[in-house]
Amino acid sequence: MVSVPAQAVTGAKYSSQYTPPPSYSNAELAGKDFSGQSLRVAEFSNANLNRTNFAHADLAGAVFSASTMTETNLHGADLTQAMLDQVKLSRVDLSDAVLVNTMMLRTVFEAVNIDGTDFSDAILDKVQIRELCGMASGVNSKTGVETRESLGCRE
């Protein structure tokens, strides 16, 4: 039996097979329109996302760390396994969004719309859950899960 040494995949063939995710670190994106776009595992660290439109965008696995979101539209967006760490969501539309397995520690929710949002298995602290349960209503159109049920709200 002949042993063949393993070789790393490099060069043009590798470059054409792997495209790194988009990075918008420290970007000024206020008022931009990303609606309906695929931005899987994109990075939005320290970005200005005020009034940015992400309606129905695929943001699965995206990172929104220490970014600002005021009047941002995330209606119907897929944020499955995304990370919203140290983000202040102020007057943000999260209605009908999917936040399954999303990490949201140290995220602040201020006057957000969560009608029909699915938070199933999202990582939130007890204070966040209590606050969100106070405004939770509706059923997610994609997953069929009630917002209150996904948060584990008690009657």
Side-chain angles (χ1 to χ4, degrees):
M1 180 173 201
V2 176
S3 176
V4 178
Q7 292 181 330
V9 179
T10 59
K13 183 176 180 182
Y14 176 74
S15 296
S16 68
Q17 292 175 350
Y18 174 74
T19 304
S23 178
Y24 299 97
S25 283
N26 303 304
E28 179 60 51
L29 300 171
K32 298 290 184 192
D33 186 1
F34 292 102
S35 59
Q37 293 187 30
S38 178
L39 296 162
R40 295 176 71 84
V41 296
E43 181 188 2
F44 295 92
S45 297
N46 299 304
N48 179 351
L49 302 171
N50 297 334
R51 298 174 316 284
T52 302
N53 185 3
F54 290 106
H56 302 285
D58 183 356
L59 297 162
V63 176
F64 296 89
S65 185
S67 293
T68 60
M69 288 188 181
T70 300
E71 298 177 357
T72 303
N73 184 0
L74 290 160
H75 173 80
D78 183 355
L79 291 142
T80 300
Q81 295 183 339
M83 184 172 87
L84 282 83
D85 178 49
Q86 300 179 55
V87 177
K88 182 177 179 183
L89 302 172
S90 182
R91 299 181 308 280
V92 170
D93 184 358
L94 283 168
S95 63
D96 211 35
V98 177
L99 290 112
V100 174
N101 292 317
T102 300
M103 181 180 293
M104 304 182 79
L105 297 174
R106 296 180 293 195
T107 291
V108 176
F109 299 91
E110 183 180 278
V112 295
N113 178 356
I114 61 167
D115 185 44
T117 305
D118 185 350
F119 290 94
S120 297
D121 299 316
I123 301 170
L124 298 155
D125 65 37
K126 289 180 183 180
V127 173
Q128 290 169 310
I129 292 170
R130 189 170 40 250
E131 179 184 350
L132 292 170
C133 283
M135 62 180 101
S137 65
V139 176
N140 188 276
S141 68
K142 290 177 263 337
T143 65
V145 175
E146 291 182 19
T147 301
R148 292 185 60 78
E149 178 185 323
S150 71
L151 287 165
C153 301
R154 302 183 202 286
E155 296 305 314

